[in-house]
Amino acid sequence: MVRSMTGFGRGVTNTENYQLTVEIRSVNHRFLEIYTKFPKEWLEVESLAKKIVAEYVQRGKLDVVVNLKSGGNEATTFQINWPLIEAYKKVKEQLREVVPLEEKWTMNEIFSLENALSYEKEPLPLEELQIGIAHAIRQAAEQLLDMRKQEGIQLKNALLLYKEQLHEQVELIRQQSTEAVKKYREKLIERITDIATVDVLDDRILAEVAIFAERVDISEELDRLVSHFKQLEGTLEESVSVGRKLDFLMQEMHREINTIGSKNQSTEVSIAVVQSKTILEKMREQVQNIE
Protein backbone atom coordinates (compact mmCIF):
# COMPACT_ATOMS: atom_id res chain seq x y z
CA MET A 1 0.00 0.00 0.00
CA VAL A 2 1.29 3.43 -0.95
CA ARG A 3 1.50 5.71 2.08
CA SER A 4 2.85 9.22 2.35
CA MET A 5 5.51 10.05 4.94
CA THR A 6 3.87 13.35 5.90
CA GLY A 7 0.93 13.57 8.27
CA PHE A 8 -0.45 14.57 11.64
CA GLY A 9 -2.27 12.75 14.43
CA ARG A 10 -3.69 13.74 17.81
CA GLY A 11 -4.75 11.57 20.73
CA VAL A 12 -6.33 12.46 24.07
CA THR A 13 -6.71 10.57 27.35
CA ASN A 14 -9.10 12.00 29.96
CA THR A 15 -9.25 10.93 33.61
CA GLU A 16 -10.65 12.46 36.78
CA ASN A 17 -7.32 14.11 37.58
CA TYR A 18 -5.80 15.08 34.23
CA GLN A 19 -6.08 15.41 30.47
CA LEU A 20 -3.17 13.97 28.51
CA THR A 21 -2.74 15.04 24.87
CA VAL A 22 -0.29 13.52 22.39
CA GLU A 23 0.45 15.02 18.97
CA ILE A 24 2.51 13.32 16.25
CA ARG A 25 3.86 15.10 13.18
CA SER A 26 5.80 13.32 10.44
CA VAL A 27 7.83 14.44 7.43
CA ASN A 28 10.02 12.75 4.83
CA HIS A 29 13.15 10.88 5.84
CA ARG A 30 15.21 8.01 4.46
CA PHE A 31 14.87 6.03 7.67
CA LEU A 32 12.67 6.02 10.76
CA GLU A 33 13.60 8.65 13.34
CA ILE A 34 11.33 9.40 16.31
CA TYR A 35 11.90 12.51 18.42
CA THR A 36 9.92 12.91 21.64
CA LYS A 37 9.29 15.92 23.87
CA PHE A 38 8.36 14.45 27.24
CA PRO A 39 9.09 15.60 30.80
CA LYS A 40 12.55 14.41 31.80
CA GLU A 41 11.14 12.22 34.59
CA TRP A 42 9.10 10.21 32.06
CA LEU A 43 11.97 8.21 30.56
CA GLU A 44 10.22 4.85 30.87
CA VAL A 45 7.06 6.23 29.31
CA GLU A 46 9.08 7.88 26.54
CA SER A 47 10.57 4.52 25.54
CA LEU A 48 7.10 3.00 25.50
CA ALA A 49 5.82 5.80 23.26
CA LYS A 50 8.60 5.28 20.70
CA LYS A 51 7.96 1.55 20.65
CA ILE A 52 4.25 2.03 19.99
CA VAL A 53 4.83 4.59 17.22
CA ALA A 54 7.26 2.21 15.51
CA GLU A 55 4.42 -0.34 15.24
CA TYR A 56 2.56 2.00 12.89
CA VAL A 57 5.23 3.53 10.64
CA GLN A 58 8.44 2.32 9.03
CA ARG A 59 9.96 5.47 7.55
CA GLY A 60 9.89 9.19 8.22
CA LYS A 61 10.98 11.75 10.78
CA LEU A 62 8.40 11.99 13.55
CA ASP A 63 7.99 14.50 16.37
CA VAL A 64 5.94 13.25 19.33
CA VAL A 65 4.82 15.91 21.81
CA VAL A 66 2.87 15.28 25.02
CA ASN A 67 0.96 17.83 27.07
CA LEU A 68 -0.44 17.10 30.55
CA LYS A 69 -3.24 19.34 31.79
CA SER A 70 -4.25 19.10 35.42
CA GLY A 71 -7.86 18.46 36.37
CA GLY A 72 -7.37 20.04 39.80
CA ASN A 73 -8.37 16.94 41.75
CA GLU A 74 -5.00 15.35 42.27
CA ALA A 75 -3.38 15.15 45.70
CA THR A 76 -1.04 18.02 46.61
CA THR A 77 1.64 18.22 49.32
CA PHE A 78 2.54 21.63 50.81
CA GLN A 79 5.98 22.45 52.20
CA ILE A 80 6.72 25.34 54.59
CA ASN A 81 10.05 27.12 54.28
CA TRP A 82 10.70 27.46 58.02
CA PRO A 83 14.21 28.95 57.76
CA LEU A 84 12.83 31.76 55.60
CA ILE A 85 9.98 32.47 58.01
CA GLU A 86 12.31 32.44 61.03
CA ALA A 87 14.64 34.89 59.30
CA TYR A 88 11.69 37.14 58.48
CA LYS A 89 10.51 36.97 62.11
CA LYS A 90 13.93 37.96 63.35
CA VAL A 91 14.09 40.95 61.01
CA LYS A 92 10.58 42.03 62.06
CA GLU A 93 11.53 41.90 65.74
CA GLN A 94 14.56 44.09 65.03
CA LEU A 95 12.38 46.59 63.22
CA ARG A 96 9.87 46.66 66.10
CA GLU A 97 12.59 47.95 68.42
CA VAL A 98 12.85 51.03 66.24
CA VAL A 99 9.50 51.31 64.47
CA PRO A 100 6.17 50.68 66.17
CA LEU A 101 4.74 47.59 64.47
CA GLU A 102 1.82 45.35 65.28
CA GLU A 103 2.85 42.02 66.64
CA LYS A 104 -0.08 40.21 65.02
CA TRP A 105 0.77 38.06 62.02
CA THR A 106 -1.63 37.36 59.13
CA MET A 107 -1.68 34.59 56.57
CA ASN A 108 -1.55 37.14 53.76
CA GLU A 109 1.64 38.50 55.22
CA ILE A 110 3.20 35.06 55.33
CA PHE A 111 2.00 34.09 51.86
CA SER A 112 3.41 37.32 50.46
CA LEU A 113 6.88 36.09 51.32
CA GLU A 114 8.47 34.66 48.18
CA ASN A 115 9.15 30.91 48.51
CA ALA A 116 7.67 30.80 52.01
CA LEU A 117 5.19 28.15 50.92
CA SER A 118 5.67 25.60 48.16
CA TYR A 119 3.65 22.66 47.01
CA GLU A 120 4.22 19.49 45.05
CA LYS A 121 1.62 17.51 43.21
CA GLU A 122 1.71 13.81 43.72
CA PRO A 123 3.26 12.22 40.64
CA LEU A 124 1.04 10.00 38.55
CA PRO A 125 1.50 6.31 39.25
CA LEU A 126 3.72 4.80 36.54
CA GLU A 127 1.17 2.19 35.55
CA GLU A 128 -1.60 4.77 35.20
CA LEU A 129 0.70 7.02 33.19
CA GLN A 130 1.72 4.20 30.85
CA ILE A 131 -1.90 3.26 30.21
CA GLY A 132 -2.83 6.88 29.49
CA ILE A 133 0.15 7.47 27.21
CA ALA A 134 -0.41 4.22 25.34
CA HIS A 135 -4.05 5.09 24.67
CA ALA A 136 -3.27 8.62 23.46
CA ILE A 137 -0.29 7.48 21.36
CA ARG A 138 -2.31 4.80 19.57
CA GLN A 139 -5.14 7.22 18.91
CA ALA A 140 -2.70 9.77 17.48
CA ALA A 141 -0.87 7.11 15.46
CA GLU A 142 -4.15 5.89 13.94
CA GLN A 143 -5.01 9.41 12.82
CA LEU A 144 -1.50 9.86 11.45
CA LEU A 145 -1.77 6.58 9.55
CA ASP A 146 -5.14 7.53 8.06
CA MET A 147 -3.74 10.82 6.79
CA ARG A 148 -0.68 9.10 5.33
CA LYS A 149 -2.93 6.58 3.56
CA GLN A 150 -5.11 9.31 2.06
CA GLU A 151 -2.10 11.20 0.78
CA GLY A 152 -0.68 7.89 -0.44
CA ILE A 153 -3.69 7.42 -2.74
CA GLN A 154 -3.00 10.79 -4.32
CA LEU A 155 0.69 9.94 -4.75
CA LYS A 156 -0.20 6.62 -6.37
CA ASN A 157 -2.57 8.26 -8.85
CA ALA A 158 0.04 10.88 -9.71
CA LEU A 159 2.70 8.23 -10.34
CA LEU A 160 0.40 6.21 -12.59
CA LEU A 161 -0.43 9.33 -14.58
CA TYR A 162 3.24 10.22 -14.99
CA LYS A 163 3.98 6.63 -15.93
CA GLU A 164 1.50 6.80 -18.81
CA GLN A 165 3.07 10.05 -20.00
CA LEU A 166 6.53 8.51 -19.83
CA HIS A 167 5.32 5.41 -21.67
CA GLU A 168 4.08 7.63 -24.53
CA GLN A 169 7.52 9.19 -24.82
CA VAL A 170 9.19 5.78 -24.82
CA GLU A 171 6.95 4.57 -27.66
CA LEU A 172 7.72 7.74 -29.58
CA ILE A 173 11.44 7.07 -29.10
CA ARG A 174 10.94 3.49 -30.31
CA GLN A 175 9.22 4.69 -33.49
CA GLN A 176 11.84 7.32 -34.22
CA SER A 177 14.76 4.96 -33.53
CA THR A 178 13.64 2.54 -36.27
CA GLU A 179 13.80 5.40 -38.75
CA ALA A 180 17.33 6.37 -37.75
CA VAL A 181 19.02 3.42 -39.47
CA LYS A 182 16.95 3.90 -42.64
CA LYS A 183 17.85 7.59 -42.82
CA TYR A 184 21.53 6.82 -42.24
CA ARG A 185 21.50 4.28 -45.12
CA GLU A 186 19.90 6.79 -47.47
CA LYS A 187 22.44 9.50 -46.60
CA LEU A 188 25.31 7.01 -47.01
CA ILE A 189 24.09 6.00 -50.47
CA GLU A 190 23.78 9.64 -51.52
CA ARG A 191 27.41 10.28 -50.57
CA ILE A 192 28.74 7.13 -52.21
CA THR A 193 26.94 7.74 -55.51
CA ASP A 194 29.10 10.78 -55.96
CA ILE A 195 32.21 8.60 -56.33
CA ALA A 196 30.99 5.13 -57.39
CA THR A 197 27.96 3.03 -58.24
CA VAL A 198 25.89 1.58 -55.45
CA ASP A 199 26.16 -1.94 -56.87
CA VAL A 200 29.94 -1.95 -56.61
CA LEU A 201 29.94 -0.82 -52.99
CA ASP A 202 26.78 -2.57 -51.85
CA ASP A 203 28.65 -4.84 -49.42
CA ARG A 204 30.48 -1.86 -47.98
CA ILE A 205 27.20 -0.01 -47.47
CA LEU A 206 25.64 -2.98 -45.73
CA ALA A 207 28.64 -3.24 -43.40
CA GLU A 208 28.58 0.47 -42.54
CA VAL A 209 24.84 0.39 -41.92
CA ALA A 210 25.19 -2.70 -39.72
CA ILE A 211 27.88 -1.02 -37.61
CA PHE A 212 25.76 2.12 -37.27
CA ALA A 213 22.66 0.10 -36.36
CA GLU A 214 24.54 -1.74 -33.64
CA ARG A 215 25.99 1.47 -32.25
CA VAL A 216 22.62 3.25 -31.95
CA ASP A 217 20.48 0.21 -31.06
CA ILE A 218 18.34 1.06 -28.01
CA SER A 219 15.87 -1.82 -28.18
CA GLU A 220 17.20 -3.38 -24.97
CA GLU A 221 16.93 -0.10 -23.08
CA LEU A 222 13.38 0.43 -24.33
CA ASP A 223 12.37 -3.11 -23.41
CA ARG A 224 13.83 -2.69 -19.92
CA LEU A 225 11.90 0.56 -19.49
CA VAL A 226 8.65 -1.21 -20.36
CA SER A 227 9.56 -3.91 -17.87
CA HIS A 228 10.17 -1.23 -15.23
CA PHE A 229 6.74 0.23 -15.94
CA LYS A 230 5.10 -3.12 -15.22
CA GLN A 231 7.18 -3.51 -12.07
CA LEU A 232 6.12 -0.02 -10.99
CA GLU A 233 2.45 -0.91 -11.36
CA GLY A 234 2.94 -4.11 -9.37
CA THR A 235 4.90 -2.35 -6.63
CA LEU A 236 2.15 0.23 -6.17
CA GLU A 237 -0.24 -2.61 -5.30
CA GLU A 238 1.98 -4.21 -2.66
CA SER A 239 0.83 -4.13 0.96
CA VAL A 240 4.27 -3.39 2.45
CA SER A 241 6.37 -0.24 2.56
CA VAL A 242 7.38 0.43 -1.07
CA GLY A 243 9.20 3.78 -0.97
CA ARG A 244 12.74 2.42 -1.18
CA LYS A 245 11.82 -0.03 -3.93
CA LEU A 246 10.21 2.75 -5.95
CA ASP A 247 13.28 4.91 -5.44
CA PHE A 248 15.43 2.11 -6.88
CA LEU A 249 13.11 1.81 -9.88
CA MET A 250 13.43 5.53 -10.52
CA GLN A 251 17.21 5.19 -10.57
CA GLU A 252 17.01 2.32 -13.06
CA MET A 253 14.65 4.24 -15.35
CA HIS A 254 16.92 7.26 -15.22
CA ARG A 255 19.89 5.09 -16.19
CA GLU A 256 18.06 3.65 -19.20
CA ILE A 257 16.93 7.07 -20.42
CA ASN A 258 20.47 8.45 -20.08
CA THR A 259 21.79 5.55 -22.14
CA ILE A 260 19.17 6.20 -24.82
CA GLY A 261 20.18 9.83 -24.89
CA SER A 262 23.86 8.99 -25.34
CA LYS A 263 23.09 6.68 -28.30
CA ASN A 264 20.64 9.04 -29.93
CA GLN A 265 21.22 10.28 -33.51
CA SER A 266 17.87 11.98 -34.00
CA THR A 267 16.51 15.41 -33.15
CA GLU A 268 13.06 13.95 -32.54
CA VAL A 269 14.48 11.41 -30.10
CA SER A 270 16.45 14.14 -28.31
CA ILE A 271 13.23 16.05 -27.68
CA ALA A 272 11.53 12.90 -26.41
CA VAL A 273 14.49 12.12 -24.14
CA VAL A 274 14.31 15.61 -22.58
CA GLN A 275 10.57 15.18 -22.07
CA SER A 276 11.16 11.77 -20.52
CA LYS A 277 13.70 13.16 -18.07
CA THR A 278 11.30 15.95 -17.09
CA ILE A 279 8.50 13.47 -16.40
CA LEU A 280 10.83 11.13 -14.55
CA GLU A 281 12.02 13.96 -12.31
CA LYS A 282 8.41 14.65 -11.36
CA MET A 283 7.98 10.97 -10.55
CA ARG A 284 11.09 10.97 -8.37
CA GLU A 285 9.78 13.97 -6.44
CA GLN A 286 6.57 12.07 -5.70
CA VAL A 287 8.47 8.92 -4.71
CA GLN A 288 10.47 10.90 -2.13
CA ASN A 289 7.21 11.36 -0.23
CA ILE A 290 6.33 7.66 -0.11
CA GLU A 291 7.00 5.52 2.96
Side-chain angles (χ1 to χ4, degrees):
M1 177 181 294
V2 178
R3 296 191 304 206
S4 170
M5 282 193 286
T6 60
F8 172 80
R10 186 173 185 268
V12 180
T13 297
N14 287 300
T15 71
E16 182 180 357
N17 297 323
Y18 65 87
Q19 181 186 74
L20 193 151
T21 304
V22 172
E23 294 182 346
I24 305 176
R25 291 177 174 82
S26 68
V27 294
N28 304 348
H29 199 274
R30 289 186 61 191
F31 308 104
L32 176 61
E33 290 191 4
I34 304 173
Y35 297 91
T36 54
K37 296 181 181 178
F38 284 23
K40 60 182 180 180
E41 62 269 18
W42 289 13
L43 290 178
E44 294 184 43
V45 182
E46 189 173 4
S47 299
L48 174 65
K50 289 183 177 181
K51 183 177 180 181
I52 294 175
V53 171
E55 296 176 6
Y56 289 84
V57 296
Q58 294 180 301
R59 292 180 67 199
K61 178 183 176 183
L62 292 89
D63 289 313
V64 183
V65 181
V66 63
N67 178 45
L68 184 65
K69 183 178 180 181
S70 172
N73 298 321
E74 64 273 20
T76 304
T77 302
F78 287 89
Q79 299 290 336
I80 301 175
N81 189 342
W82 288 112
L84 177 66
I85 294 177
E86 289 291 343
Y88 177 74
K89 177 184 176 183
K90 184 177 180 180
V91 170
K92 190 173 182 181
E93 289 175 349
Q94 293 174 350
L95 284 172
R96 191 181 298 114
E97 295 177 357
V98 180
V99 182
L101 298 174
E102 294 185 9
E103 190 172 351
K104 183 180 178 180
W105 285 48
T106 64
M107 292 297 292
N108 287 337
E109 182 181 3
I110 296 175
F111 287 154
S112 66
L113 297 176
E114 187 176 358
N115 299 324
L117 192 66
S118 62
Y119 67 93
E120 294 181 358
K121 294 181 179 180
E122 292 292 334
L124 294 175
L126 179 60
E127 183 178 357
E128 180 181 355
L129 185 59
Q130 287 178 332
I131 294 174
I133 285 288
H135 178 270
I137 283 285
R138 292 190 183 279
Q139 187 180 10
E142 289 287 352
Q143 287 187 10
L144 174 71
L145 202 59
D146 288 341
M147 182 176 290
R148 286 164 69 123
K149 287 179 180 178
Q150 291 300 319
E151 290 191 9
I153 293 174
Q154 299 177 13
L155 291 173
K156 176 182 176 181
N157 293 336
L159 282 175
L160 290 174
L161 177 62
Y162 288 139
K163 188 269 298 180
E164 289 301 322
Q165 296 176 0
L166 185 57
H167 190 271
E168 291 176 2
Q169 296 300 321
V170 168
E171 290 305 311
L172 179 61
I173 292 172
R174 191 187 297 275
Q175 294 172 10
Q176 294 296 331
S177 64
T178 58
E179 296 292 326
V181 176
K182 180 181 178 181
K183 291 179 180 180
Y184 177 77
R185 185 176 185 279
E186 292 173 352
K187 289 182 179 179
L188 190 62
I189 291 175
E190 289 177 4
R191 293 173 182 173
I192 291 177
T193 52
D194 293 339
I195 58 175
T197 63
V198 175
D199 294 336
V200 173
L201 298 177
D202 189 54
D203 291 340
R204 176 70 181 199
I205 292 174
L206 290 176
E208 289 290 339
V209 171
I211 294 172
F212 175 80
E214 183 177 357
R215 187 171 71 251
V216 300
D217 180 41
I218 56 174
S219 58
E220 290 186 8
E221 287 80 4
L222 294 172
D223 290 342
R224 281 195 292 268
L225 276 171
V226 173
S227 175
H228 293 330
F229 293 157
K230 294 179 180 178
Q231 192 172 2
L232 172 66
E233 293 175 349
T235 302
L236 292 175
E237 299 299 327
E238 294 180 6
S239 58
V240 296
S241 176
V242 297
R244 292 178 182 175
K245 186 175 181 180
L246 290 173
D247 188 54
F248 175 76
L249 278 174
M250 294 301 105
Q251 294 178 29
E252 292 299 304
M253 290 184 191
H254 192 267
R255 183 179 295 110
E256 302 299 345
I257 291 175
N258 277 340
T259 303
I260 291 172
S262 65
K263 292 183 177 181
N264 169 53
Q265 299 290 328
S266 163
T267 302
E268 292 82 359
V269 171
S270 294
I271 295 174
V273 166
V274 172
Q275 284 293 101
S276 298
K277 289 183 177 181
T278 302
I279 297 170
L280 185 58
E281 184 61 30
K282 293 179 181 178
M283 294 178 71
R284 293 178 69 177
E285 289 176 0
Q286 297 298 323
V287 167
Q288 296 304 311
N289 296 323
I290 295 177
E291 181 181 14

